[in-house]
Amino acid sequence: MEFRNEQQFIDALYARLDDLRDQAEHAVQDALAGTGSGFQARLERDVLVAEQSGLLSALNAGENGLCFGRLEFSDGRDHHIGRIGIRQDDADRTPLVLDWRAEVARPFYLATGHFPMGLRRRRHITTRGREVTALHDEILDLTDTERTGHEGADADAVLLAALDAARTGRMHDIVQTIQAEQDRIIRSPHRGVLVVEGGPGTGKTAVALHRAAYLLYAHRELLAKRGVLIVGPNPAFLGYIGEVLPSLGETGVLLSTLGELFPGVRATGTDRPGAAAVKGRARMAEVLARVVRDRQALPETVPAGSGEDSAVVPEPALEIDHDDYGTLLLDRTMAYEARDRARATGLPHNLARPYFAFRVIDALTQQLADRLGADPFGGPNLLGADDVAQLGKEIATSAEVHSAIDSLWPPLTPRRLVADFLADPTHLPSHEADLIRRATQDWTPADIPLLDEAAELLGFDDTAQRAAEERRRQERIAYAQGVLDLSQGSESYEFEDMENEFLAAHDVIDAERMAERYEEADHRSTAERAAADRTWAFGHVIVDEAQELSEMAWRLLMRRCPTRSMTLVGDPAQTGDEAGCGSWNRILDPYVGDRFELVRLGVNYRTPAEIMDIAAAVLRARHPGFEPPSSVRSTGRRPWVRATDDLARTVADAVRDATPADEGRDGRLAVIAPRPLHEALADVLPGVRAGEEPDLTRSVVLLDPRQAKGLEFDSVLVVEPADHEPSDLYVALTRATQTLGVIHTGRLPEGLDAQP
């Protein structure tokens, strides 16, 4: 009977969901069919469509497994828990199912027999589509003798079933199985920097994503405006996690790799070994600052014919040919004084440039005035103030003068500056310069922080853009004034024997306000606007595999989050990138000192104990004191190690023999091998092509250890383990949820060499 009752509830819940969806769809259709053509009507229509479309997205995304739990309190209250909150269609808008993020839902994750939090029973509801397939009850009030027949002896049965389920190539949410230590991190207060450290399989990424969903729920008004940025290690990882937040009803988060965080640039290139480490060091900020200062030049050439009648050594100067006044000399003293004045403003290069130009123009104007207005008898200058001002205008509009200014203080773009620097790396030791020198402009992920730093140093002079916008604004105002004038003329009539008491348009609105109403509104989402704006300040930033990012990358990310509201997720033991910081103190000390909170996850939910023992042995060979997270389950299947003299054939045979469909299961298998072997291995693996971003939804994928970070598969084959760095090998060995095999042609690294 209980089972039937829950099915009836689920039926009613989905009926309400369908009603809400129909209402939203009809609202969108009615809005799109609206006949109003004025600005206000268009704006209201666009806002309504955006709101209802967002509601539809949340309803559609949250439909799968919409309700997964029920809380029965000792005082008679009961609540169903789900991915999104849905209310009944009554006057009081009574909750039908509570959002998992609501405070009243916390006992579902925290209550225990010792600390029941007022609960008598906690029920887990398993569904397939809209059908209830299983119920599992936990008795929390041991004095309650009522039983439903769905009680289980194993309180962790639901968790273990989820962990044992076949992988699909996409991460799923964990709202049904959030553990107490995870819940505390997810709901941690929204302030400062929270660091979540944990070994493989501890759920760091899932916790971070659910924390994003929780913060968007708890601080909707703030974060809806500023947005949440989630930074992942590679595109495959972003594809892997891409469905988690939509399944929880959140679609407005920006997911990005470091290589996508400079608008207009997508980093697809690859650095040679050692180059990323050089580019990632913090001192590159000072190197780029010196490169910019080098572009603020002084004249170096002595003008032809100067000093012929004098014993004085001529001063370097630029010769400027003016059509009306002959040759002007922009000498080193003028340029030095102008450069000093511009630098003293403290503004970025492009924003300080007008100050340099104004000073040069003033100096050249004075030079010309002294020449034209000189009194042959030694008296005061014969030119008046108006004459000098006119000369200044002519100097300021001279193309030759501006060409000279450009040669000494050129307008610069980040891309041009960094490209020129990489072609000829100055201010670096020769061996480092040789590592990063390149002639092509295939941007790499390590270049993105350099571009961002260059943008900060250069600034963007938007004077011309603002002037154009102001011209368009004045045109709109003039047009609006014409409309009001016509309106006033058409209403200038009087009724006989009575005053005109009708309000005209010009009585309630002026031309400027009317023009503002007709400006085009920006209807892009917060994520879309943030992605296009390098200076966007996010409300919260989440970084996965945070230990891998360089010092320069952190400078970029801290600019994106001036409030320092961040969640950093990672594991220093898995640091593989040569530019990675590894240490949390090293990452955060320049920005927040020791004012950050560090929490550790110590339970491995992914990797069986048999696999974790081998992975830990590999790392202990280098770090004897290393302690891995403890695994919650054991499969009874030991990893195997196989030597071969025909690598490709052995890998192909192993893939065929150990397909993820083992024992009737669906699932995924990953072959993790060094990049140089990918071409040969791809030839023997079904549906695999070397050099492409892996499609994680396929049954077999080929990866290197860096691409495998944060991912998980049912089965894993690790190829040539001795060719991997120890931290990369540790990553590769800990990706499997069921079975692990190792194939090699040569020696085995320490820790693996003792395995059967």
Side-chain angles (χ1 to χ4, degrees):
M1 188 64 184
E2 280 288 337
F3 196 92
R4 184 65 245 164
N5 287 343
E6 290 295 1
Q7 183 62 63
Q8 290 172 354
F9 174 79
I10 294 296
D11 291 342
L13 176 61
Y14 276 102
R16 176 61 178 150
L17 180 76
D18 291 339
D19 287 343
L20 290 171
R21 185 158 37 211
D22 289 343
Q23 292 171 19
E25 289 175 347
H26 288 143
V28 170
Q29 293 169 4
D30 292 345
L32 293 175
T35 57
S37 59
F39 172 78
Q40 193 69 24
R42 294 200 313 271
L43 178 60
E44 291 175 356
R45 182 166 61 243
D46 289 345
V47 170
L48 178 61
V49 169
E51 288 178 347
Q52 296 301 316
S53 297
L55 175 60
L56 272 172
S57 296
L59 294 174
N60 291 333
E63 175 170 345
N64 186 33
L66 178 57
C67 176
F68 54 81
R70 177 177 174 180
L71 299 176
E72 297 182 26
F73 289 87
S74 298
D75 61 7
R77 291 178 297 133
D78 70 85
H79 298 292
H80 281 86
I81 309 298
R83 279 172 171 74
I84 56 176
I86 294 181
R87 295 181 180 275
Q88 298 182 34
D89 187 17
D90 57 20
D92 297 329
R93 292 179 54 78
T94 308
L96 191 60
V97 61
L98 291 174
D99 193 298
W100 66 276
R101 296 165 287 191
E103 186 64 24
V104 71
R106 292 205 75 180
F108 189 78
Y109 304 110
L110 299 182
T112 66
H114 295 291
F115 183 51
M117 301 179 70
L119 288 184
R120 58 187 287 266
R121 179 184 293 114
R122 172 169 50 207
R123 166 166 289 178
H124 296 268
I125 303 171
T126 303
T127 58
R128 182 181 295 112
R130 299 187 174 194
E131 179 186 358
V132 177
T133 58
L135 300 177
H136 180 85
D137 289 342
E138 295 177 64
I139 303 300
L140 298 172
D141 182 358
L142 300 181
T143 65
D144 190 338
T145 59
E146 181 183 347
R147 295 295 180 264
T148 64
H150 300 292
E151 293 80 11
D154 188 351
D156 293 326
V158 176
L159 171 63
L160 293 175
L163 298 179
D164 200 49
R167 269 44 189 173
T168 65
R170 292 290 181 262
M171 177 181 277
H172 297 297
D173 63 67
I174 59 169
V175 287
Q176 189 171 357
T177 58
I178 293 173
Q179 301 302 291
E181 65 171 356
Q182 296 171 331
D183 183 80
R184 284 188 286 270
I185 296 170
I186 289 169
R187 298 173 191 264
S188 182
H190 174 238
R191 60 174 183 269
V193 177
L194 174 67
V195 177
V196 183
E197 179 183 308
T202 54
K204 303 182 298 297
T205 298
V207 166
L209 294 174
H210 287 71
R211 176 161 169 75
Y214 171 74
L215 292 176
L216 285 163
Y217 172 85
H219 306 278
R220 177 74 62 189
E221 185 174 351
L222 170 65
L223 296 183
K225 293 178 181 177
R226 302 311 312 164
V228 173
L229 169 65
I230 298 179
V231 180
N234 54 58
F237 175 84
L238 295 184
Y240 176 64
I241 69 171
E243 296 177 3
V244 174
L245 286 169
S247 75
L248 300 176
E250 301 297 346
T251 58
V253 175
L254 176 61
L255 276 67
S256 177
T257 63
L258 180 67
E260 299 167 318
L261 283 178
F262 192 87
V265 173
R266 192 175 183 88
T268 57
T270 302
D271 278 307
R272 69 181 73 176
V278 173
K279 294 177 184 179
R281 291 171 188 154
R283 63 186 178 87
M284 285 300 298
E286 178 55 32
V287 169
L288 288 176
R290 292 168 68 185
V291 171
V292 172
R293 290 173 73 88
D294 287 348
R295 303 298 290 271
Q296 300 164 0
L298 299 174
E300 298 291 344
T301 305
V302 177
S306 63
E308 292 177 354
D309 301 321
S310 172
V312 178
V313 177
E315 183 177 6
L318 288 178
E319 293 182 330
I320 304 173
D321 294 325
H322 195 285
D323 291 340
D324 297 324
Y325 301 112
T327 300
L328 300 172
L329 290 180
L330 174 50
D331 61 40
R332 196 175 181 88
T333 299
M334 288 181 190
Y336 186 88
E337 183 182 341
R339 187 178 73 174
D340 232 27
R341 179 67 63 88
R343 286 178 174 176
T345 64
L347 295 171
H349 173 89
N350 289 330
L351 299 184
R353 184 176 177 275
Y355 292 88
F356 177 82
F358 295 152
R359 192 67 175 175
V360 167
I361 290 169
D362 287 346
L364 292 175
T365 300
Q366 189 60 51
Q367 181 187 110
L368 186 57
D370 290 343
R371 182 197 303 172
L372 298 179
D375 185 343
F377 302 104
N381 196 295
L382 300 177
L383 298 180
D386 290 343
D387 298 322
V388 175
Q390 182 59 36
L391 289 178
K393 291 180 181 178
E394 296 179 26
I395 294 292
T397 56
S398 167
E400 291 78 9
V401 169
H402 282 283
S403 178
I405 291 171
D406 286 348
S407 69
L408 298 179
W409 196 295
L412 298 172
T413 66
R415 297 192 206 186
R416 184 73 268 155
L417 182 79
V418 175
D420 289 347
F421 168 70
L422 293 176
D424 181 22
T426 55
H427 306 296
L428 285 175
S430 59
H431 68 283
E432 293 186 351
D434 290 341
L435 278 175
I436 70 171
R437 183 180 286 109
R438 69 166 189 256
T440 63
Q441 199 169 332
D442 293 330
W443 300 110
T444 72
D447 294 334
I448 299 303
L450 302 186
L451 289 168
D452 198 72
E453 191 72 30
E456 287 291 304
L457 293 168
L458 297 178
F460 176 65
D461 185 359
D462 62 349
T463 304
Q465 178 180 320
R466 285 188 286 109
E469 290 174 353
E470 179 60 23
R471 284 195 300 273
R472 289 192 292 270
R473 176 174 171 273
Q474 292 300 328
E475 289 170 0
R476 288 195 299 269
I477 292 175
Y479 177 80
Q481 186 62 57
V483 172
L484 290 175
D485 290 344
L486 288 174
S487 172
Q488 183 176 5
S490 66
E491 295 171 354
S492 59
Y493 55 82
E494 293 184 3
F495 290 95
E496 186 177 357
D497 299 328
M498 67 181 297
E499 294 183 2
N500 181 11
E501 296 181 354
F502 288 87
L503 285 176
H506 60 270
D507 293 318
V508 295
I509 190 171
D510 59 23
E512 185 171 356
R513 188 173 302 173
M514 183 176 181
E516 289 175 354
R517 287 192 176 184
Y518 281 84
E519 290 180 11
E520 287 298 323
D522 188 348
H523 298 305
R524 293 176 299 170
S525 69
T526 298
E528 290 170 333
R529 287 184 285 121
D533 185 354
R534 189 195 70 82
T535 63
W536 189 273
F538 289 91
H540 193 79
V541 171
I542 292 174
V543 185
D544 203 294
E545 302 293 348
Q547 77 282 350
E548 301 289 351
L549 297 187
S550 69
E551 293 168 319
M552 288 298 293
W554 284 110
R555 288 176 64 88
L556 178 155
L557 289 176
M558 291 299 174
R559 292 189 192 106
R560 300 295 193 274
C561 191
T563 61
R564 305 293 188 259
S565 177
M566 310 178 84
T567 302
L568 312 183
V569 179
D571 178 14
Q574 297 183 63
T575 304
D577 197 293
E578 57 191 357
C581 291
S583 161
W584 303 123
N585 286 323
R586 183 180 170 194
I587 290 171
L588 295 171
D589 185 67
Y591 307 102
V592 297
D594 61 356
R595 299 183 305 280
F596 65 90
E597 182 182 357
L598 173 63
V599 294
R600 291 184 173 87
L601 294 170
V603 179
N604 187 332
Y605 298 100
R606 174 206 303 144
T607 316
E610 295 86 351
I611 296 176
M612 201 63 216
D613 289 344
I614 290 179
V618 169
L619 216 52
R620 282 201 190 100
R622 289 289 188 95
H623 307 285
F626 171 73
E627 285 298 327
S630 57
S631 297
V632 299
R633 65 196 180 100
S634 172
T635 62
R637 286 176 282 190
R638 294 279 301 171
W640 53 263
V641 179
R642 186 174 303 161
T644 182
D645 55 6
D646 189 341
L647 190 67
R649 188 186 68 183
T650 304
V651 169
D653 291 344
V655 169
R656 184 176 59 253
D657 296 341
T659 56
D662 179 38
E663 299 177 3
R665 294 166 47 88
D666 293 326
R668 300 294 179 271
L669 181 148
V671 178
I672 303 179
R675 186 60 67 95
L677 298 178
H678 281 205
E679 197 73 42
L681 293 176
D683 290 340
V684 300
L685 296 176
V688 173
R689 296 180 62 181
E692 294 184 347
E693 282 295 332
D695 180 357
L696 301 179
T697 63
R698 298 187 67 88
S699 60
V700 178
V701 295
L702 176 62
L703 309 144
D704 64 36
R706 304 289 173 87
Q707 292 175 306
K709 279 184 175 291
L711 308 181
E712 60 183 18
F713 306 90
D714 295 82
S715 302
V716 170
L717 295 177
V718 176
V719 180
E720 295 291 27
D723 292 348
H724 299 301
E725 292 294 325
S727 59
D728 287 344
L729 179 57
Y730 179 61
V731 170
L733 294 171
T734 55
R735 299 303 99 191
T737 66
Q738 300 295 330
T739 63
L740 170 68
V742 178
I743 300 174
H744 65 102
T745 59
R747 65 178 181 84
L748 285 171
E750 289 185 79
L752 273 179
D753 52 7
Q755 301 304 318

